[in-house]
Amino acid sequence: MKQALDEQYKGLFAIDRNLDRLNKGIELLTYLNPLNSEKEKQKFYSSKYTEVPRFRYPKRNFNAFKLQQGLYLNNLEEIHDDQIQTLYQSIIYYYSNVLQCSDAIGEKKKFFYNSLRLYGAPKERDVQNAKFIIHLKDHHKEDPKIYSALDAMAYFENFVKSYDFKINIKLSTSIAADAMVSNKLRTLFIKKNARFSENQLKTLANHEIGVHMVTTFNGLNQPLKIFSNGFPKNVETQEGLAVFSEYMSGALTLDRLKTLAYRVIAADSLTDGYDFADTFDLLHNQYKLHREKAFIITLRVHRGGGFTKDFLYLTGLKKIYDYYKRQGDLSILLSGKVSLENQSSIEHMMDLGLVHKPIHLTQSYNHNYNTNKTIDFILENLR
């Protein structure tokens, strides 16, 4: 069967393998985590929040010009199926944008405009959704952060036992989030000095392992490498699926939704021309966010020169929630690093035998454990 497919779609597989070869080693978030964030944070605090941090980033070990050239040398006419050819054309444009973004890290405007091409910017509707969430009263008391990074490592090691794959779990001093998955390294990184609450551990496990690792291993199992390397707009879908996993597991809180909402506000301030200190001031002094939380959100949005990705968590969650309510098949979206917008192309390739049904399924999707009516009210009423 495989041999017959390889022969029938010879041109497709050749282009797919070539794109995979060119894409090796280019994982934007790996290069985008500042190496000196703690040091710059202390300097920023000492300056009474006026001195804009100067972040250093990991050295890039690729030749952007050669890779860019290689992407556009692929002869897409060798793909004889029109729908698949169109998909691969959009994928080449997407990989080119990721490459340009990775190559411009630290170059302010250049990086920012590449980020806009990749992820877009919050619309007025997104900002209004964020403000709607922020202004809701939260009567729930936040759980104490009593668990260390080593405790988190043990928790995640136990959590992953319920899935049929193995992952690396490592501590890191150079990630912006408390935990982050590397698709290429199949590794879950935990921030070394972070503290965690019990619900936060549940949230991260269902988000990072229950979705991001599930789609990583499903993608690796597909005949076509694009399912592992990623479709255009896969970030919004993947983050939407991941936050929806938090919701289904009963871990999603109003405080967490507010964090996602503040990210929208921060991304919007970036597109309005705010610098690091301005965005921090907006979050800390106007919205009264604790300075640690305000700094982390500001860092996430301003790293590299201006990174708009963070507003997509909320838009992605709404799209996946609505898709679920329409009784959409979530397993299709777990087949790899795919996007909701390309669902028809995935189904088409499944019909042709080019895509396998996912081996690993997000376990939180089996039952809705959310009991928080406020969360349901919010998700129903986002526009």
Side-chain angles (χ1 to χ4, degrees):
M1 175 69 176
K2 184 182 183 300
Q3 193 173 357
L5 272 178
D6 286 351
E7 190 57 39
Q8 185 179 356
Y9 296 100
K10 191 176 178 180
L12 169 63
F13 281 106
I15 288 170
D16 185 74
R17 283 192 296 271
N18 191 43
L19 290 179
D20 181 56
R21 180 183 61 80
L22 292 167
N23 203 48
K24 292 289 185 201
I26 303 172
E27 191 169 21
L28 179 56
L29 289 180
T30 303
Y31 297 115
L32 197 52
N33 287 306
L35 298 170
N36 60 338
S37 56
E38 284 299 315
K39 183 180 176 183
E40 289 302 303
K41 179 175 75 173
Q42 295 310 320
K43 284 170 65 177
F44 181 67
Y45 287 172
S46 298
S47 73
K48 300 198 185 308
Y49 320 137
T50 58
E51 188 178 323
V52 172
R54 300 177 70 176
F55 296 118
R56 289 187 295 103
Y57 301 94
K59 189 177 180 182
R60 274 96 73 193
N61 57 355
F62 56 85
N63 185 315
F65 178 77
K66 282 187 177 178
L67 290 175
Q68 192 86 2
Q69 193 177 42
L71 286 172
Y72 288 106
L73 284 174
N74 286 281
N75 182 11
L76 294 181
E77 289 181 1
E78 292 178 18
I79 301 174
H80 303 300
D81 183 294
D82 289 345
Q83 189 170 354
I84 299 175
Q85 186 186 105
T86 300
L87 173 64
Y88 270 77
Q89 185 178 52
S90 67
I91 282 169
I92 286 173
Y93 289 145
Y94 170 63
Y95 290 175
S96 173
N97 285 340
V98 171
L99 178 61
Q100 289 176 64
C101 215
S102 301
D103 192 47
I105 291 171
E107 295 183 47
K108 293 289 182 183
K109 285 187 177 180
K110 187 178 177 183
F111 177 84
F112 172 60
Y113 289 128
N114 279 306
S115 168
L116 284 178
R117 280 217 305 271
L118 264 183
Y119 305 111
K123 298 180 175 64
E124 181 57 29
R125 177 192 64 208
D126 303 324
V127 175
Q128 291 307 315
N129 281 339
K131 289 179 178 178
F132 162 64
I133 293 170
I134 288 167
H135 290 111
L136 288 171
K137 297 293 182 189
D138 190 0
H139 302 292
H140 175 74
K141 199 172 181 182
E142 233 181 298
D143 292 344
K145 294 189 174 186
I146 58 174
Y147 298 102
S148 68
L150 288 174
D151 295 326
M153 183 180 281
Y155 183 95
F156 297 142
E157 284 170 348
N158 187 58
F159 185 89
V160 80
K161 287 176 184 175
S162 59
Y163 285 94
D164 189 23
F165 53 71
K166 286 184 168 57
I167 64 172
N168 300 308
I169 303 176
K170 295 181 179 179
L171 300 181
S172 172
T173 56
S174 59
I175 58 173
D178 286 336
M180 186 195 85
V181 158
S182 169
N183 182 36
K184 294 190 186 301
L185 299 175
R186 301 168 212 178
T187 299
L188 172 61
F189 291 101
I190 304 166
K191 187 183 279 188
K192 193 172 183 179
N193 62 350
R195 304 289 297 179
F196 303 87
S197 68
E198 187 172 351
N199 192 70
Q200 192 180 5
L201 291 177
K202 185 178 178 182
T203 297
L204 287 167
N206 281 284
H207 183 112
E208 302 292 350
I209 298 171
V211 171
H212 290 327
M213 278 300 184
V214 161
T215 55
T216 289
F217 283 94
N218 283 335
L220 289 167
N221 184 58
Q222 297 295 350
L224 295 168
K225 305 295 186 184
I226 55 167
F227 282 81
S228 179
N229 291 322
F231 283 39
K233 297 188 177 179
N234 81 83
V235 169
E236 183 178 42
T237 298
Q238 296 301 306
E239 297 302 351
L241 287 167
V243 182
F244 185 69
S245 178
E246 300 173 29
Y247 163 78
M248 291 292 280
S249 71
L252 187 60
T253 63
L254 180 54
D255 183 66
R256 167 69 167 158
L257 277 179
K258 285 190 175 190
T259 296
L260 302 185
Y262 285 124
R263 290 180 185 177
V264 176
I265 298 297
D268 185 58
S269 78
L270 173 69
T271 59
D272 281 345
Y274 285 38
D275 69 7
F276 189 101
D278 293 332
T279 298
F280 178 87
D281 178 70
L282 174 68
L283 297 175
H284 181 52
N285 292 320
Q286 294 185 48
Y287 281 101
K288 307 302 179 188
L289 264 187
H290 185 276
R291 74 174 187 173
E292 286 293 311
K293 187 175 273 191
F295 184 88
I296 290 167
I297 292 171
T298 305
L299 163 62
R300 287 177 62 103
V301 167
H302 281 273
R303 56 185 162 161
F307 193 50
T308 54
K309 172 203 165 201
D310 268 8
F311 85 93
L312 294 173
Y313 286 72
L314 202 55
T315 61
L317 172 60
K318 175 60 175 171
K319 286 182 179 180
I320 297 299
Y321 180 81
D322 289 347
Y323 178 76
Y324 168 77
K325 285 291 185 177
R326 296 193 303 269
Q327 299 185 318
D329 184 357
L330 288 167
S331 71
I332 291 174
L333 304 179
L334 296 174
S335 58
K337 303 297 180 182
V338 303
S339 54
L340 188 57
E341 285 81 357
N342 291 114
Q343 183 184 345
S344 63
S345 294
I346 300 164
E347 290 171 337
H348 174 61
M349 288 190 286
M350 278 183 169
D351 291 340
L352 297 174
L354 291 166
V355 180
H356 302 320
K357 287 188 175 179
I359 294 175
H360 311 288
L361 297 173
T362 301
Q363 292 175 10
S364 64
Y365 293 168
N366 294 334
H367 183 83
N368 187 349
Y369 285 102
N370 176 64
T371 57
N372 189 328
K373 299 301 179 190
T374 302
I375 302 296
D376 282 320
F377 171 77
I378 291 170
L379 295 182
E380 288 288 346
N381 287 281
L382 292 178
R383 294 182 286 167

